[in-house]
């Protein structure tokens, strides 16, 4: 079997790639798998990285003495296909790299990242990834039980907050604008001052 060293060697319309395939690829282009389909990732902008850094500092301060752990991209989160009984790399059809995630069940962590849903995920929108973060990833995180999902929109300087309800579906979005403080639903001590976050960029 020929070694895969370039994204051009793969069929991007193919929808049954797995984490086992992902591990075998030897190219530099970062990608995510969502339900078996490849989504190439572009390099983040400087503004994106400054916002990520500001968020990371705020989260790091909040969780300094907390039992939960926070991770920033690049950090693989593998989500199993719920229809599969066996657990293994060939049954993982979704591998994503959230900008920031918080995991409280430390048994989900291994040397390769996280296996299963983080408790909280934050994604920062960039040109070209809005539909993926707003729709595909939102549906993926909801289906897999990510308890809270935050989307940061630098262009419009606002944020969207979703959390799982008792029916195990996401609540309608709570929208925060640039001069508000976003308080996490599941971690009330986590407060994100959007004015500070966006002014850092």
């Amino acid at each position: 079997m020929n070694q895969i060293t370039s994204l051009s060697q793969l069929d991007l319309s193919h929808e049954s790639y797995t984490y086992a395939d992902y591990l075998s690829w030897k190219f530099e282009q970062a990608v995510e798998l969502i339900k078996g389909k490849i989504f190439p990732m572009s390099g983040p902008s400087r503004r994106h990285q400054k916002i990520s850094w500001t968020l990371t500092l705020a989260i790091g301060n909040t969780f300094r003495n907390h039992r939960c752990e926070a991770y920033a991209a690049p950090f693989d989160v593998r989500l199993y296909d719920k229809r599969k009984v066996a657990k293994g790399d060939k049954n993982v059809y979704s591998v994503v790299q959230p900008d920031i995630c918080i995991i409280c069940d430390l048994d989900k962590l291994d040397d390769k990242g996280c296996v299963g849903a983080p408790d909280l995920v934050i994604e920062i929108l960039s040109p070209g990834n809005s539909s993926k973060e707003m729709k595909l990833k939102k549906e993926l995180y909801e289906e897999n039980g990510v308890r809270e999902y935050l989307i940061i929109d630098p262009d419009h300087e606002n944020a969207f907050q979703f959390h799982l309800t008792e029916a195990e579906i996401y609540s309608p979005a709570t929208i925060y604008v640039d001069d508000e403080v976003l308080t996490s639903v599941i971690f009330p001590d986590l407060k994100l001052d959007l004015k500070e976050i966006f002014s850092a960029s």
Side-chain angles (χ1 to χ4, degrees), residues 115-136:
V115 184
D119 293 85
L120 184 147
V121 165
I122 301 176
E123 298 282 12
I124 303 166
L125 297 184
S126 297
N129 79 349
S130 296
S131 61
K132 181 174 71 169
E133 314 296 3
M134 295 291 293
K135 180 172 174 57
L136 296 178

Side-chain angles (χ1 to χ4, degrees), residues 9 19 23 27 30-31 53 58 64 72 94 100 109 112 120 122 140-141 179 181 187 191 200:
Q9 293 174 260
Y19 183 58
L23 290 175
F27 47 82
V31 300
W53 175 247
R64 179 173 291 134
S94 295
I100 300 172
L109 298 173
K112 295 177 181 177
L120 184 147
I122 301 176
L140 181 72
Y141 293 150
D179 61 348
V181 175
F187 301 116
K191 299 180 186 299

Side-chain angles (χ1 to χ4, degrees), residues 182-198:
L182 187 159
T183 301
S184 168
V185 172
I186 64 172
F187 301 116
D189 291 339
L190 177 59
K191 299 180 186 299
L192 302 175
D193 184 335
L194 295 188
K195 187 174 183 179
E196 179 180 330
I197 288 166
F198 293 125

Side-chain angles (χ1 to χ4, degrees), residues 49-88:
Q49 291 302 82
K50 287 201 73 174
I51 290 173
S52 179
W53 175 247
T54 305
L55 288 167
T56 300
L57 289 176
I59 290 167
N61 288 333
T62 303
F63 285 87
R64 179 173 291 134
N65 298 310
H66 203 285
R67 66 181 182 86
C68 303
E69 296 186 3
Y71 293 89
F75 180 79
D76 283 350
V77 171
R78 292 112 70 195
L79 300 171
Y80 279 107
D81 185 336
K82 292 184 176 181
R83 298 167 297 179
K84 304 289 186 181
V85 175
K87 302 295 184 184

Side-chain angles (χ1 to χ4, degrees), residues 101-112:
C101 60
I102 298 170
I103 299 113
C104 296
D105 182 354
L106 303 187
D107 288 338
K108 292 181 178 180
L109 298 173
D110 61 20
D111 288 342
K112 295 177 181 177

